[in-house]
Amino acid sequence: ASRYHGLEVHALRRFSGGLLFEASYTFSKALGDTEGAPQDSRNKRLDWGLTDLDRTHMFTFNYIYELPFFKDGRGPVGAVLGGWQLSGITTFQSGLPFTVGISGDRAQAGGGAQRPDLVGRPRDGRGQSLSRYFNTAAFALAPLGRFGNSPPLNVRGPGINNWDLSLYKNIRMREGLKMQIGAGFFNAFNHSQFEGVGGNLGAATFGVVTSTRDSRILQFRAKLSY
């Protein structure tokens, strides 16, 4: 079973002078049963919670701007400095939730994916760091012979703050033939994009940021259209 509630807002606007932008925002919550075998087959309610694709906030903004400088210029100056186009996609998203788990068979049930007890708030107001992304003291091992009461997917990982930009020059060579040259900048401002967080109670990496998304990537391109 699953349940999804969401609010979606979308805007598209074209301006004179070669400017276009489109923005979309989604505020949502997705709930459901954990995929795969439940922690306790006799109490499946323990596996109800956020789904692994839940994102509270998603905002995307894309834009194209035909730069007006020397747009109608003639001669060498117009040929070199005119015809440039700036475009980009900006994305802000909440992080994906993940489950805090444990190693071994604490419940003495023969194995399976088990979770600890939730004894505090995963976000305790003390802020975040690379070595303490969430409040690790909010989780504790359940007594032997019992399953932990911590819900699945109750800690949210790092979000996305990303700007992809491109700058291209359009060159009309003759009728029906056009060339485009320029560069694309992925994660243009080289913003730190953290990703994985250790979620296994008792491990050395518990609560520690363990991976990152790509740093800035520069790509040159030449395209011929006919």
Side-chain angles (χ1 to χ4, degrees), residues 15-178:
F15 294 90
S16 60
L19 174 63
L20 176 148
F21 78 82
E22 182 178 18
S24 61
Y25 169 72
T26 302
F27 174 65
S28 65
K29 188 171 187 178
L31 297 168
D33 294 315
T34 302
E35 293 185 5
Q39 176 183 238
D40 183 358
S41 60
R42 297 166 301 178
N43 187 3
K44 294 185 179 180
R45 293 180 60 186
L46 292 176
D47 290 277
W48 175 266
L50 296 174
T51 70
D52 55 6
L53 295 178
D54 176 80
R55 290 189 188 273
T56 306
H57 304 283
M58 296 181 65
F59 176 76
T60 303
F61 181 51
N62 60 79
Y63 35 90
I64 300 174
Y65 183 37
E66 296 177 2
L67 300 180
F69 315 111
F70 304 100
K71 186 176 182 179
D72 299 320
R74 299 182 181 278
V77 173
V80 175
L81 300 180
W84 288 91
Q85 172 185 297
L86 175 68
S87 60
I89 301 176
T90 300
T91 304
F92 299 103
Q93 293 183 4
S94 301
L96 292 171
F98 64 92
T99 298
V100 171
I102 61 174
S103 298
D105 183 14
R106 190 72 180 175
Q108 300 177 340
Q114 298 179 18
R115 302 188 295 272
D117 274 346
L118 182 65
V119 296
R121 296 170 58 88
R123 293 290 175 88
D124 58 358
R126 289 179 52 190
Q128 297 171 317
S129 66
L130 298 182
S131 60
R132 185 185 181 276
Y133 189 78
F134 62 92
N135 177 22
T136 55
F139 300 90
L141 291 174
L144 284 172
R146 179 171 70 75
F147 289 100
N149 61 20
S150 177
L153 301 163
N154 67 330
V155 180
R156 193 170 295 278
I160 295 175
N161 174 357
N162 189 66
W163 298 70
D164 294 336
L165 301 175
S166 60
L167 181 64
Y168 292 109
K169 177 178 174 58
N170 296 305
I171 305 172
R172 296 189 179 277
M173 306 178 70
R174 59 181 175 82
E175 185 177 357
L177 182 63
K178 182 176 72 173

